[in-house]
Amino acid sequence: MTTIRDVSKLAGVSVATVSRLFNQSGYVSKEAEAAIQAAVAKLNYKPNSIARSLAGKKTAAVALMVPDILNPFFPEIARAAEDAAASQGYTLVLCNTDNNPDKEKMYIEALINKQIDGIIVSSYTISPEQIITLQKRSIPIVVIDNSFPDHPIVTITAANRYGGQLAVQHLLYAGCGKIAHICGPSHVHSARERTLAYEEMCSHLPWFTPSLTASGHFSVAGGYEAMKHIFRQHPDVDGVFAGNDLMAAGALKALHELGVSIPSQIKLIGFDGIRMDMVYPELSTVSQQIYTIGRTAMDYLIRQINNEPIEKRNYELEVELLQKATT
Amino acid sequence: MTTIRDVSKLAGVSVATVSRLFNQSGYVSKEAEAAIQAAVAKLNYKPNSIARSLAGKKTAAVALMVPDILNPFFPEIARAAEDAAASQGYTLVLCNTDNNPDKEKMYIEALINKQIDGIIVSSYTISPEQIITLQKRSIPIVVIDNSFPDHPIVTITAANRYGGQLAVQHLLYAGCGKIAHICGPSHVHSARERTLAYEEMCSHLPWFTPSLTASGHFSVAGGYEAMKHIFRQHPDVDGVFAGNDLMAAGALKALHELGVSIPSQIKLIGFDGIRMDMVYPELSTVSQQIYTIGRTAMDYLIRQINNEPIEKRNYELEVELLQKATT
DNA sequence: AACAAGTGTGCTAACGTTTTCCCAAACGTG
DNA sequence: CACGTTTGGGAAAACGTTAGCACACTTGTT
């Protein structure tokens, strides 16, 4: 391995000068620069990042903590985060927490003593206090898909409330006269918001009743069960708003099995806009530009790392109604 | 930050002794151990992994290079790899290459000078020579979903050939009399193997003709187009073997649109066994236990890192016919 | 009694950078 | 010309570990 010392010798300057050149810090004369460049090229020198991390304090590595990369929402986040990270010379460490607080703590400990430069967290179990503690240890954090309005924490979310309204409105405009809702886990911020939107829009309507809502746990199987459950009690529903696309796909499957024709008898809309081109008919959904969330999160994380000022705390990204074949 | 020196002072021993205790190397007396443990507990000391990496030569980090984490095959690999890595104290770095050789090289350079301990590679563009070069730089590699029988490279693949035979056989047993094939990219090893299996099994049958095969590029959209293309020329096909599940899903969508009833008129089978519970009817497939591939790859990678002997070079994992609703 | 092997510990030189401090020209400027 | 100031660059101390070497003390064996 060729070191900075080799370069300095060959170039006839001190290691300090070489270091200054690489870090654009301090003065380096044209001649010295040329000599160093030549030596670097000749020796194919690459600064060792481990040593650099030890001496400086930056590892050029950031982490992405997600509950489970198998949930199709997260690969898209990961892809975006990795693209953004790589483009700025950062390396992305992936952590699956399964929403298990113990695992989360383990990972956080491990990341801290690897001196990670920053963390993007998606977690439904982590507390704002935990995050603040981390920030006090001066490690930048960005939270996605969750919101802590009362704490000094940078969060990136979609306009879940507004999106929910959009979805329900779309069903109403399409002429639905009895709309069911398959909701996500109530401890999940985004799920809660979407459900609140549904209730806001529908609770005053004559047909509204709590049994039109069932929980689908944000999963295909859950959506499937919830749909069957709802249909058993309300065979006359003609619209369904699912809190995410996975549940919508599950519901679609259930409706297929029940022999319900879509969208003529029942209209169905999901939420998220995950890549689901494999289902037929294609799902209408409220798309939240997942990629943008991931990229934005990484951008703000790196800004924090660089001590650049950040204007706001809670970034809410736009959502968009995507009408496909199920409405 | 509390360092090993603080501990050594508090415990009244030298830093060497503390280091030895933490690394289980060399001798440490019971008394010294107790004193150190106490000091560690009191100071909440955690060894700094950066310094450790610089002094030792291990970073306890491994990388997973995949073409695109958005392809549902890879999150499952990533999940498995990360689980296995975490369980052994390793951290997982994720790299998306888009099968772009330049990106691959960039990442490899970056990983090398971060002194990554090992790399799991899934790439259809990387050459065995490149890998050998890396190994010569003494960085352990495991290749998944690709095979280099003539080179000293550890590879993990599924029994693609056998699986293809299984799929075709299944269709034949089910009474299919004219079987089409949607193939993947010919430069992809696993795709090629599956196609060869189809040809092996069918080329001698009376109905066989090259136009029964169309390329679907391993994507949903590709499978969709290929299916339509094939059906236009051969409305009398009654069986379709798709080279992966994504293409099978695309084909299913096309057949839906064409008004073909499944499985009565046409039977359809995919390959991979990715989580696709959202499609209806559920796809029959040849499952390759993706999670196991990922876990196995990480296991062998870590074995190489630890200089443990490895028996073979090319590990071929079993596949399994999963009959669902499309056959 | 002598010697080898095993046990326990400390010193200190790496590991490859960055960064602080200091020194020396060269360069305006009044 | 005496002076601050800018420009350029070297020496060496961090950064927090690991590991090789040296030394000392026990044991056990002949």
Side-chain angles (χ1 to χ4, degrees):
Chain A
M1 172 177 286
T2 126
T3 76
I4 199 174
R5 209 151 267 119
D6 302 329
V7 174
S8 79
K9 255 172 210 143
L10 184 57
V13 298
S14 77
V15 293
T17 307
V18 180
S19 175
R20 273 193 290 264
L21 180 60
F22 267 81
N23 296 291
Q24 316 273 33
S25 68
Y27 303 105
V28 177
S29 67
K30 288 288 157 226
E31 302 81 55
E33 173 165 357
I36 292 171
Q37 298 290 22
V40 164
K42 186 158 181 187
L43 300 173
N44 186 30
Y45 168 72
K46 302 264 188 306
N48 176 309
S49 13
I50 302 286
R52 186 174 260 199
S53 300
L54 186 59
K57 251 71 191 80
K58 333 215 78 190
T59 49
V62 290
L64 174 66
M65 287 185 49
V66 299
D68 183 5
I69 193 75
L70 288 178
N71 178 331
F73 179 79
F74 293 111
E76 202 157 340
I77 294 285
R79 176 69 216 229
E82 209 265 322
D83 285 354
S87 80
Q88 309 230 31
Y90 284 83
T91 259
L92 209 239
V93 172
L94 178 68
C95 306
N96 291 101
T97 65
D98 289 318
N99 279 313
N100 176 338
D102 293 338
K103 269 197 181 178
E104 272 170 15
K105 282 189 200 115
M106 261 193 35
Y107 275 120
I108 288 176
E109 280 309 313
L111 293 172
I112 285 182
N113 92 10
K114 288 217 161 189
Q115 282 174 222
I116 202 93
D117 286 344
I119 309 181
I120 295 180
V121 177
S122 172
S123 165
Y124 312 130
T125 54
I126 203 164
S127 71
E129 287 73 24
Q130 262 179 290
I131 296 172
I132 307 257
T133 308
L134 285 177
Q135 289 180 338
K136 287 213 184 103
R137 297 226 232 169
S138 82
I139 139 156
I141 307 266
V142 171
V143 171
I144 59 175
D145 202 35
N146 207 339
S147 180
F148 303 106
D150 304 333
H151 297 83
I153 298 171
V154 177
T155 63
I156 318 279
T157 52
N160 288 300
R161 185 73 69 103
Y162 174 65
Q165 292 166 356
L166 229 50
V168 174
Q169 202 169 65
H170 178 60
L171 293 177
L172 288 171
Y173 282 178
C176 293
K178 189 167 183 186
I179 301 176
H181 176 51
I182 303 179
C183 65
S186 59
H187 62 279
V188 174
H189 174 262
S190 55
R192 224 165 37 231
E193 286 289 304
R194 296 167 197 176
T195 297
L196 285 174
Y198 165 76
E199 287 169 358
E200 245 174 64
M201 303 279 293
C202 299
S203 59
H204 63 283
L205 297 176
W207 47 260
F208 180 82
T209 157
S211 66
L212 274 170
T213 295
S215 180
H217 315 292
F218 264 2
S219 75
V220 174
Y224 174 89
E225 293 301 337
M227 189 68 248
K228 289 225 162 163
H229 180 76
I230 291 172
F231 192 79
R232 219 173 291 133
Q233 293 176 68
H234 302 282
D236 57 333
V237 291
D238 55 4
V240 175
F241 167 39
N244 75 356
D245 287 341
L246 290 179
M247 296 191 296
L252 186 60
K253 211 164 113 183
L255 293 171
H256 264 131
E257 283 186 20
L258 290 165
V260 172
S261 70
I262 304 204
S264 56
Q265 185 180 342
I266 294 187
K267 302 194 196 325
L268 173 64
I269 188 166
F271 203 118
D272 271 359
I274 60 177
R275 279 171 174 54
M276 288 252 288
D277 45 359
M278 60 277 267
V279 310
Y280 182 86
E282 283 188 27
L283 271 176
S284 293
T285 192
V286 174
S287 163
Q288 58 170 322
Q289 309 171 70
I290 308 177
Y291 190 92
T292 307
I293 294 183
R295 185 168 43 67
T296 309
M298 188 55 74
D299 284 348
Y300 282 113
L301 188 69
I302 294 180
R303 262 190 231 185
Q304 282 188 66
I305 293 174
N306 296 335
N307 285 313
E308 291 169 32
I310 293 193
E311 308 81 44
K312 300 190 295 171
R313 282 219 277 271
N314 299 286
Y315 292 87
E316 195 177 80
L317 269 49
E318 282 180 15
V319 295
E320 187 187 0
L321 183 73
L322 244 55
Q323 181 171 10
K324 295 278 182 69
T326 59
T327 57
Chain B
M1 173 177 286
T2 128
T3 77
I4 199 174
R5 209 150 268 120
D6 303 328
V7 174
S8 78
K9 256 173 209 142
L10 184 57
V13 299
S14 76
V15 294
T17 307
V18 179
S19 175
R20 274 193 292 266
L21 180 60
F22 267 83
N23 297 290
Q24 315 273 32
S25 68
Y27 303 104
V28 176
S29 67
K30 288 287 158 228
E31 301 83 55
E33 174 167 357
I36 293 171
Q37 299 289 21
V40 165
K42 185 156 181 187
L43 300 173
N44 187 29
Y45 167 72
K46 301 265 188 307
N48 175 310
S49 16
I50 303 286
R52 187 174 259 199
S53 301
L54 186 58
K57 251 72 190 79
K58 332 214 78 190
T59 49
V62 290
L64 174 65
M65 288 186 48
V66 299
D68 184 5
I69 192 76
L70 287 178
N71 178 331
F73 179 79
F74 293 112
E76 202 158 341
I77 294 284
R79 176 69 216 228
E82 209 265 322
D83 285 353
S87 81
Q88 309 230 31
Y90 284 83
T91 259
L92 209 238
V93 172
L94 179 68
C95 305
N96 290 101
T97 65
D98 288 318
N99 279 313
N100 177 338
D102 293 338
K103 268 196 181 179
E104 271 170 16
K105 280 186 201 120
M106 261 193 35
Y107 275 119
I108 288 176
E109 280 309 314
L111 293 173
I112 284 182
N113 93 9
K114 288 217 161 189
Q115 282 175 222
I116 203 93
D117 285 344
I119 309 181
I120 294 180
V121 177
S122 172
S123 166
Y124 311 130
T125 53
I126 204 164
S127 70
E129 287 72 24
Q130 263 180 291
I131 295 173
I132 307 258
T133 308
L134 285 176
Q135 289 180 338
K136 286 210 184 106
R137 296 227 231 168
S138 82
I139 140 155
I141 308 267
V142 171
V143 172
I144 59 175
D145 203 34
N146 207 340
S147 180
F148 304 106
D150 303 333
H151 297 84
I153 297 171
V154 177
T155 63
I156 318 278
T157 53
N160 289 300
R161 185 73 69 104
Y162 175 67
Q165 293 165 356
L166 228 51
V168 174
Q169 203 170 65
H170 178 61
L171 293 177
L172 288 172
Y173 282 177
C176 293
K178 189 168 183 185
I179 301 175
H181 176 51
I182 303 178
C183 64
S186 59
H187 61 281
V188 174
H189 174 263
S190 55
R192 223 165 38 232
E193 287 288 304
R194 295 168 196 176
T195 298
L196 285 174
Y198 165 75
E199 287 168 358
E200 244 174 64
M201 302 280 292
C202 299
S203 59
H204 63 282
L205 296 176
W207 47 260
F208 181 82
T209 156
S211 67
L212 274 170
T213 295
S215 181
H217 316 290
F218 265 0
S219 75
V220 174
Y224 174 89
E225 292 302 335
M227 189 68 248
K228 289 224 162 164
H229 181 76
I230 291 172
F231 193 80
R232 219 173 291 132
Q233 294 175 67
H234 302 281
D236 57 333
V237 291
D238 56 3
V240 175
F241 167 39
N244 75 355
D245 287 340
L246 289 179
M247 297 192 296
L252 186 60
K253 211 165 114 183
L255 293 171
H256 263 131
E257 284 187 18
L258 291 164
V260 173
S261 70
I262 303 200
S264 55
Q265 186 181 343
I266 294 187
K267 299 192 197 327
L268 172 64
I269 188 166
F271 202 117
D272 271 359
I274 61 177
R275 279 170 172 54
M276 288 252 287
D277 45 359
M278 60 277 269
V279 311
Y280 182 85
E282 283 188 27
L283 272 175
S284 292
T285 192
V286 175
S287 163
Q288 58 170 324
Q289 307 171 71
I290 307 177
Y291 190 92
T292 307
I293 294 182
R295 186 166 43 67
T296 309
M298 187 56 74
D299 284 349
Y300 282 113
L301 187 69
I302 294 180
R303 264 191 229 185
Q304 282 188 66
I305 294 174
N306 295 336
N307 286 314
E308 291 170 31
I310 293 193
E311 308 81 45
K312 300 190 296 171
R313 281 221 276 271
N314 298 287
Y315 292 87
E316 196 178 80
L317 269 49
E318 281 180 15
V319 295
E320 187 188 359
L321 183 74
L322 244 54
Q323 181 171 12
K324 294 278 182 68
T326 58
T327 56

